[in-house]
Amino acid sequence: TDASGYQVKTEASAVLEITGALLDPAMSFNIEEGWGIIGYVKVDPSDAVDMMAPIVDDLIIMKDENGAVYWPAFGLNNIGNMQADEGYQIKMSADAMFAYTSGSGRLGYAEEIRTVHYDAAQNTGSNMTIGLPTTAWEVMPAIGDEIAAYDESDRLIGSTSFNGDNIALTVWGDDLTTDSKDGLSVGEKVTLKLWNSDMNTEETLVIT
């Protein structure tokens, strides 16, 4: 369907060639309440904040395939630019007719989040996002400190670096297409740990 997005799992990297006429970048389409996946129909990349402005009041969150988010309520845009040939998972609070803005194509900036102490968790194809606003900290971490999430088997399921602002921690769920457990199960407890980059110490966070 025009402007729809699709989630795909492959056994190896592959190049998908698509032929046909380009969609009208000014086309309108309906986005339903709840979760869905949309495609980016414009040719040139543009800032996600600008592109989603027409429905920002109804947009709860938008994610890319790597778990980066545009989360209006937290003022977070880790996606940066929306890109041609990419799909985006979105959650809406209401149905809305939508068309991408025809702006000048201003580019957004999203610094790549890199961790030094913690590895990157495995991308299992499904995730949830834990918001950590600056107001939530009893003792504010220092810029460069790192936060990690673990499941009940002490498996790393998410990690990020503190940048002094609100942060979104992507936590990866179990991939049901594999025989082994490789992520968080439904209802499973999450443990968060904080690595102090100055002291090189780790502590378990207490969430109240």
Side-chain angles (χ1 to χ4, degrees), residues 1-168:
T1 305
D2 291 352
S4 292
Y6 300 88
Q7 187 173 22
V8 178
K9 182 181 179 181
T10 59
E11 294 181 349
S13 297
V15 175
L16 176 64
E17 294 185 5
I18 300 174
T19 59
L22 293 173
L23 293 171
D24 179 359
M27 67 174 289
S28 297
F29 56 97
N30 184 56
I31 303 178
E32 295 181 350
E33 178 183 355
W35 286 105
I37 305 178
I38 61 172
Y40 181 67
V41 300
K42 300 182 73 171
V43 175
D44 296 321
S46 291
D47 180 50
V49 176
D50 289 351
M51 291 300 98
M52 304 310 293
I55 56 169
V56 68
D57 290 341
D58 297 318
L59 177 64
I60 297 172
I61 195 168
M62 179 169 72
K63 305 180 182 185
D64 70 9
E65 65 193 77
N66 298 310
V69 301
Y70 168 42
W71 201 350
F74 281 84
L76 282 170
N77 176 21
N78 297 333
I79 291 174
N81 298 309
M82 300 183 75
Q83 304 278 353
D85 77 18
E86 291 289 336
Y88 298 88
Q89 186 179 26
I90 62 172
K91 186 175 185 183
M92 299 282 291
S93 61
D95 292 356
M97 283 302 296
F98 174 70
Y100 289 106
T101 58
S102 59
S104 59
R106 181 178 71 92
L107 296 180
Y109 175 74
E111 185 175 352
E112 183 180 357
I113 300 173
R114 295 179 178 176
T115 53
V116 176
H117 181 73
Y118 295 114
D119 293 331
Q122 178 184 350
N123 182 333
T124 60
S126 65
N127 65 70
M128 73 174 184
T129 310
I130 299 176
L132 298 171
T134 54
T135 54
W137 297 97
E138 191 172 282
V139 178
M140 187 80 73
I143 293 176
D145 289 0
E146 297 178 6
I147 301 99
Y150 292 86
D151 66 9
E152 292 179 6
S153 302
D154 210 30
R155 178 193 307 274
L156 180 72
I157 52 173
S159 62
T160 192
S161 181
F162 184 69
N163 62 3
D165 205 346
N166 299 334
I167 58 176

